[in-house]
Amino acid sequence: MINLKACNHFRLYNGKAAETELKALVTQDVSLDDSDLIRHNLVVFRAGENALQVLPQLLDYIPEAKLNLVIYYLKNNETMEAYEIIKDLEPSIPQEYILKGVVNARYGHMGSHVVWMLDMLRIGTNFVLRVVAWVKPLAAASTSSERNSFSNSFVVCVWCVCVGGSHCCVF
């Protein structure tokens, strides 16, 4: 529950606010290093700090770790590394379509790949534009529900938007 609240704070405010929420775990004698999910999210909350130490170990079982590592490589102008990670990915969610399109554009797959790359970006972006309008209100609703221990409420899955290089959280 604390991790969900931290992820909501990341979407609503910033990484510092999210990390502050996770400090509640420390007061309960829980080590933040004991959970792969929390270690992943700390990389996200800290704008990629320790990404190369944490994310590669998580690629096989936290799908967002792959996306976040690609974003990390793109932010650090390591396009070839980003391409190697995402080249065989069959996109199924908007973030994957957008990232695959961006990586291919930066990698230089022009010519016959231009139409494909533009389709990836169009599919991902169209979906994101529909989702963006309600991401923050749902995160806010979820956060306020947490105060009431989720009584008479629903669990909210907040999708992240990978536009502009922001990192994804795992919920």
Side-chain angles (χ1 to χ4, degrees):
M1 176 96 107
I2 291 173
N3 189 47
L4 173 62
K5 189 174 182 181
C7 289
N8 284 337
H9 275 69
F10 176 70
R11 284 286 150 232
L12 289 168
Y13 310 111
N14 57 40
K16 273 258 194 259
E19 205 167 338
T20 300
E21 288 301 318
L22 285 181
K23 288 184 181 172
L25 292 173
V26 175
T27 62
Q28 298 172 7
D29 290 329
V30 175
S31 171
L32 298 181
D33 291 328
D34 289 344
S35 167
D36 290 336
L37 182 63
I38 291 174
R39 287 182 349 165
H40 168 273
N41 285 345
L42 282 171
V43 168
V44 174
F45 300 159
R46 294 173 180 165
E49 182 181 310
N50 296 322
L52 294 178
Q53 290 78 28
V54 174
L55 298 180
Q57 304 166 19
L58 308 176
L59 294 179
D60 292 331
Y61 59 98
I62 298 180
E64 288 79 0
K66 182 179 285 190
L67 301 179
N68 287 322
L69 189 55
V70 168
I71 292 168
Y72 172 83
Y73 282 137
L74 288 173
K75 283 182 153 186
N76 289 283
N77 293 316
E78 297 177 33
T79 304
M80 188 65 170
E81 288 82 354
Y83 178 76
E84 286 301 317
I85 291 172
I86 209 164
K87 70 180 178 184
D88 295 325
L89 177 76
E90 289 297 325
S92 62
I93 59 174
Q95 297 90 325
E96 292 171 348
Y97 282 100
I98 291 169
L99 276 177
K100 191 151 186 178
V102 168
V103 168
N104 277 285
R106 286 195 49 190
Y107 186 67
H109 279 263
M110 296 312 210
S112 63
H113 292 278
V114 152
V115 172
W116 178 87
M117 180 260 312
L118 291 174
D119 279 346
M120 294 288 117
L121 292 172
R122 181 187 49 77
I123 291 168
T125 305
N126 283 342
F127 186 82
V128 166
L129 290 175
R130 283 181 268 160
V131 170
V132 162
W134 51 267
V135 168
K136 285 197 177 192
L138 285 178
S142 178
T143 300
S144 64
S145 295
E146 290 160 6
R147 293 185 201 116
N148 298 322
S149 301
F150 284 102
S151 60
N152 302 318
S153 65
F154 56 94
V155 177
V156 179
C157 263
V158 180
W159 295 333
C160 65
V161 180
C162 292
V163 177
S166 65
H167 291 303
C168 305
C169 285
V170 180
F171 295 97

